[in-house]
């Protein structure tokens, strides 16, 4: 407040005195009234300071203790309701899961009790054989598998929210002080994926469904099909077959005593071994039953059945060949990933594995005389070895397919084994056998003019081709997959090779 000593009227008392000018209100005051005016201004200042201090304390208190307003109460109530709904849903899930699991256990226990009773009965009666024991072993294996690897129980997660989302809507935006705007702070759960779950819709009890390849119903003839004969567009009782990466088919053309190669979409075959009449010379064959590739040694190997030998060819000109196994009634042969050769011996009822340079070979299946025990074979024909060196054998005269695991002393029945017949539990003189990448076993059920597929442990197989449509196949023998798992069949009685394309 500035002052002057000029005489003028006082703003308060209106007397001419020495006055003092107030720069705030621009009025003149005598000394007495100037003091009163100043005291009044200071009082106003004190009030402002006091209000300021009180508001500061209010802010501090509000920061330390947010108000328990009706909005906060609404948020709290939403939280309580949502938690209760989640807890209720979780409890329903737990009860349902417990109920389903107990039902599974009860089912397995019931089957186990029935099996125990049957075992007790045959033991007391003392009337049982190997077939009975094998049946019980399979049953026990199935029950054990069902218990240790039960049907799948899963939680279905639903993307649709069942808890209502809430938000806080405000007209205040500190970044835009001069404009009214909406700021939304979402207060909600992450999408809760476990819905209010019921037995029917949320927890599913699913049987484990094994995936299976499917094939077109009608085949394409890729070799032969022009009647039996010696011409290059004909075959004469084809046996074993194998496919190359370019989908060429190599065929043991048995009664033509030759191996022929049919390229994709070709109308004629190319002779790559034999074809010089039946004989024992280097360029002759006698009723060959199969051919395999030995990629490790860049050669192919033939089971020359009529000459009781296995021959290796290093080229297709038949000029570089060697006899690698002699004096063997070779029904079929196959090769594993290490390059070891497996050969089935029809006379000795056994399968041996031959390493390069072996003179005798190692017994890997059978060799215990002709019979139907699990350690015996009866006319083993076609064979197949998988990636873990398990050997699959068409035990022809026992009308079954056996699986011998590596170093096993006996095999297990994986197809047939219920006597000769045409039911889904039976086979009749099985021949070709192969296994796909899903572990499904394919069998050329020669006597029944059909192809069967079996899953290890199943009591029955399924018909893939033939059966009630006997005109499709006539005594199928050899089987092979190409690199796309299309299925090839040596249709023995129709002198052709059929291709069933994978869908």
């Amino acid at each position: 407040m500035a002052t002057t000593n000029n005489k003028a009227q006082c703003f308060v008392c209106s007397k001419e005195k020495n006055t003092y000018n107030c720069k705030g209100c621009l009025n003149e005051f005598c000394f007495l009234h100037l003091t009163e005016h100043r005291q009044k201004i200071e009082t106003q200042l004190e009030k402002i300071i006091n209000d300021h201090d009180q508001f500061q304390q209010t802010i501090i208190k509000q920061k330390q203790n947010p108000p328990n307003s009706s909005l906060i109460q609404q948020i709290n109530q939403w939280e309580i309701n949502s938690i209760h709904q989640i807890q209720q849903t979780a409890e329903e899930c737990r009860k349902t899961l417990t109920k389903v699991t107990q039902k599974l256990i009860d089912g397995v226990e019931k089957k186990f009790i029935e099996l125990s009773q049957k075992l007790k009965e045959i033991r007391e009666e003392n009337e049982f054989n190997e077939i009975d024991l094998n049946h019980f072993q399979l049953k026990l294996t199935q029950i054990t598998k069902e218990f240790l690897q039960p049907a799948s129980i899963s939680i279905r997660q639903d993307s649709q929210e069942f808890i209502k989302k809430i938000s806080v809507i405000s007209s205040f935006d500190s970044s835009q002080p001069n404009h009214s705007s909406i700021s939304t702070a979402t207060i909600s759960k992450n999408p809760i994926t476990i819905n209010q779950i019921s037995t029917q819709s949320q927890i599913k009890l699913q049987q484990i469904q094994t995936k299976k390849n499917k094939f077109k119903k009608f085949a394409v003839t890729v070799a032969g099909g022009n009647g039996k004969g010696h011409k290059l567009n004909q075959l004469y009782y084809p046996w074993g077959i194998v496919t190359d990466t370019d989908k060429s088919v190599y065929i043991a053309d048995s009664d033509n005593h030759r191996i022929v190669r049919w390229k994709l979409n070709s109308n004629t075959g190319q002779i790559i071994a034999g074809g010089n009449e039946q004989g024992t010379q280097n360029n002759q064959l006698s009723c060959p039953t199969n051919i395999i590739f030995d990629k490790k040694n860049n050669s192919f190997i033939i089971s020359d059945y009529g000459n009781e030998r296995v021959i290796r060819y290093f080229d297709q000109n038949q000029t570089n060949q060697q006899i690698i196994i002699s004096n063997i009634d070779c029904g079929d042969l196959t090769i594993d990933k290490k390059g070891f050769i497996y050969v089935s011996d029809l006379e000795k009822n056994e399968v041996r594995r031959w390493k390069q340079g072996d003179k005798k070979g190692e017994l890997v299946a059978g060799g215990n005389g002709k019979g139907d025990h699990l350690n015996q074979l009866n006319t083993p024909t076609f064979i197949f070895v998988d990636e873990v060196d398990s050997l699959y054998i068409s035990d022809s005269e026992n009308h079954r397919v056996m699986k011998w695991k590596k170093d096993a002393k006996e095999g297990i029945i994986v197809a047939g084994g219920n006597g000769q017949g045409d039911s889904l539990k039976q086979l009749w003189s099985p021949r070709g056998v192969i296994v796909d990448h899903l572990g499904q076993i394919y069998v050329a059920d020669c006597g029944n003019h059909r192809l069967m597929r079996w899953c290890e442990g199943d009591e029955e197989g399924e018909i893939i081709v033939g059966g009630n449509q006997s005109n499709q196949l006539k005594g199928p023998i050899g089987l092979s997959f190409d690199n796309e798992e299309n299925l090839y069949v040596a249709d023995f009685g129709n002198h052709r090779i059929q291709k069933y394309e994978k869908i």
Side-chain angles (χ1 to χ4, degrees):
M1 180 181 291
T3 63
T4 66
N5 293 321
N6 299 326
K7 288 186 177 182
Q9 285 187 347
C10 173
F11 177 74
V12 177
C13 65
S14 299
K15 295 180 179 180
E16 287 191 4
K17 295 182 178 180
N18 289 332
T19 59
Y20 302 87
N21 179 260
C22 175
K23 291 186 177 181
C25 63
L26 300 178
N27 292 320
E28 299 287 336
F29 295 94
C30 65
F31 181 79
L32 178 62
H33 292 115
L34 175 64
T35 301
E36 292 178 355
H37 182 65
R38 185 174 182 81
Q39 288 176 347
K40 184 179 179 180
I41 292 173
E42 288 178 350
T43 300
Q44 290 178 347
L45 175 62
E46 289 297 328
K47 185 178 184 304
I48 291 171
I49 292 173
N50 184 60
D51 290 344
H52 166 272
D53 292 343
Q54 287 183 1
F55 184 68
Q56 185 179 37
Q57 292 300 315
T58 301
I59 290 175
I60 293 172
K61 289 181 180 178
Q62 291 281 19
K63 288 176 66 177
Q64 293 176 346
N65 301 298
N68 186 18
S69 67
S70 62
L71 294 178
I72 291 294
Q73 291 177 1
Q74 288 181 40
I75 294 173
N76 292 342
Q77 190 60 50
W78 171 86
E79 180 183 26
I80 292 170
N81 293 341
S82 298
I83 291 173
H84 175 71
Q85 196 168 357
I86 292 171
Q87 290 175 335
Q88 186 179 22
T89 300
E91 183 61 24
E92 290 175 4
C93 289
R94 281 189 285 267
K95 289 180 180 179
T96 304
L97 180 60
T98 301
K99 183 178 179 181
V100 171
T101 302
Q102 188 60 50
K103 185 177 180 180
L104 281 172
I105 295 173
D106 291 345
V108 171
E109 185 178 30
K110 182 179 179 181
K111 293 179 182 179
F112 182 75
I113 292 173
E114 292 175 354
L115 180 63
S116 299
Q117 184 62 36
K118 291 179 181 178
L119 282 171
K120 182 180 178 181
E121 289 174 0
I122 67 166
R123 191 170 185 179
E124 290 176 350
E125 295 173 359
N126 199 27
E127 289 187 4
F128 54 90
N129 55 38
E130 290 80 8
I131 295 176
D132 295 325
L133 296 180
N134 185 62
H135 172 74
F136 285 122
Q137 180 63 58
L138 284 175
K139 278 289 185 184
L140 182 58
T141 300
Q142 290 172 352
I143 294 172
T144 303
K145 183 178 180 182
E146 185 177 346
F147 182 74
L148 297 177
Q149 299 177 357
S152 175
I153 303 174
S154 62
I155 303 296
R156 189 180 72 181
Q157 298 183 343
D158 200 326
S159 60
Q160 184 179 1
E161 300 176 4
F162 74 98
I163 295 176
K164 293 181 179 179
K165 183 189 294 183
I166 64 172
S167 301
V168 175
I169 309 298
S170 171
S171 61
F172 173 75
D173 187 345
S174 61
S175 65
Q176 301 290 338
N178 298 322
H179 298 85
S180 177
S181 63
I182 301 259
S183 173
T184 302
T186 301
I187 304 177
S188 67
K189 60 179 180 55
N190 289 328
I192 295 179
T193 54
I194 303 179
N195 256 359
Q196 292 178 315
I197 298 176
S198 64
T199 305
Q200 294 79 12
S201 62
Q202 303 303 95
I203 294 184
K204 296 180 179 179
L205 177 61
Q206 300 172 334
Q207 294 293 336
I208 298 175
Q209 296 293 330
T210 304
K211 293 182 179 179
K212 295 181 180 181
N213 288 336
K214 294 183 179 179
F215 302 92
K216 291 184 178 180
K217 183 177 180 181
F218 298 102
V220 177
T221 300
V222 295
N226 298 300
K228 65 180 179 182
H230 311 294
K231 297 177 182 179
L232 290 180
N233 69 341
Q234 293 178 306
L235 298 172
Y236 201 159
Y237 294 128
W239 277 67
I241 53 176
V242 65
T243 58
D244 205 349
T245 53
D246 63 357
K247 293 184 174 55
S248 293
V249 184
Y250 291 76
I251 307 160
D253 191 9
S254 179
D255 275 31
N256 278 325
H257 314 292
R258 66 189 184 188
I259 304 294
V260 291
R261 174 191 182 192
W262 286 62
K263 295 183 179 180
L264 182 63
N265 299 325
S266 177
N267 293 321
T268 59
Q270 172 193 1
I271 299 174
I272 64 168
N276 299 298
E277 298 184 351
Q278 184 176 9
T280 61
Q281 302 300 315
N282 290 345
N283 65 345
Q284 292 179 310
L285 297 172
S286 177
C287 299
T289 56
N290 211 346
I291 177 175
I292 57 174
F293 299 130
D294 182 359
K295 295 180 181 179
K296 185 177 180 180
N297 292 290
N298 193 27
S299 61
F300 56 92
I301 302 169
I302 300 169
S303 56
D304 191 12
Y305 170 73
N307 286 320
E308 297 185 345
R309 64 187 182 184
V310 175
I311 306 176
R312 181 192 299 276
Y313 282 86
F314 290 96
D315 57 48
Q316 296 183 12
N317 296 321
Q318 306 186 47
T319 58
N320 188 4
Q321 58 109 303
Q322 66 178 144
I323 298 172
I324 56 177
I325 305 174
S326 301
N327 301 316
I328 182 169
D329 199 8
C330 48
D332 189 34
L333 75 169
T334 190
I335 191 168
D336 66 17
K337 58 188 177 183
K338 297 178 182 177
F340 299 161
I341 301 169
Y342 298 69
V343 185
S344 60
D345 191 319
L346 301 177
E347 181 180 359
K348 296 180 179 178
N349 296 292
E350 66 182 22
V351 179
R352 288 185 176 270
R353 178 173 57 209
W354 302 75
K355 300 179 182 178
Q356 192 164 357
D358 276 358
K359 300 298 181 183
K360 186 177 180 181
E362 177 187 2
L363 180 69
V364 292
N368 296 297
K370 180 187 296 187
D372 60 6
H373 295 295
L374 294 180
N375 68 341
Q376 293 179 307
L377 298 170
N378 187 355
T379 316
T381 54
F382 284 76
I383 54 179
F384 177 89
V385 64
D386 65 15
E387 290 295 317
V388 294
D389 297 335
S390 290
L391 184 66
Y392 296 78
I393 307 168
S394 278
D395 191 12
S396 182
E397 294 307 307
N398 281 325
H399 312 289
R400 65 188 185 185
V401 174
M402 302 289 289
K403 177 181 178 180
W404 288 64
K405 295 182 179 180
K406 185 178 180 181
D407 301 324
K409 300 302 180 183
E410 63 181 29
I412 59 174
I413 300 172
V414 293
N418 296 298
Q420 175 183 318
D422 60 3
S423 75
L424 295 180
K425 295 182 178 181
Q426 295 175 302
L427 297 171
W428 183 359
S429 298
R431 291 295 191 268
V433 57
I434 52 175
V435 181
D436 66 16
H437 77 284
L438 298 171
Q440 303 289 316
I441 305 161
Y442 294 73
V443 184
D445 190 9
C446 184
N448 285 317
H449 312 291
R450 65 188 184 184
L451 301 184
M452 298 283 288
R453 178 165 58 194
W454 294 67
C455 179
E456 184 175 339
D458 286 354
E459 293 184 359
E460 294 184 347
E462 61 176 318
I463 299 172
I464 302 299
V465 179
N468 59 350
Q469 299 172 348
S470 59
N471 63 316
Q472 289 189 2
L473 296 172
K474 186 176 181 181
I477 298 285
L479 298 178
S480 182
F481 284 124
D482 63 20
N483 53 7
E484 295 178 350
E485 286 202 335
N486 298 307
L487 181 60
Y488 295 74
V489 184
D491 192 7
F492 180 81
N494 287 319
H495 313 285
R496 64 185 181 182
I497 308 300
Q498 299 289 85
K499 174 184 177 182
Y500 293 89
E501 293 183 351
K502 180 181 173 182
I503 300 175

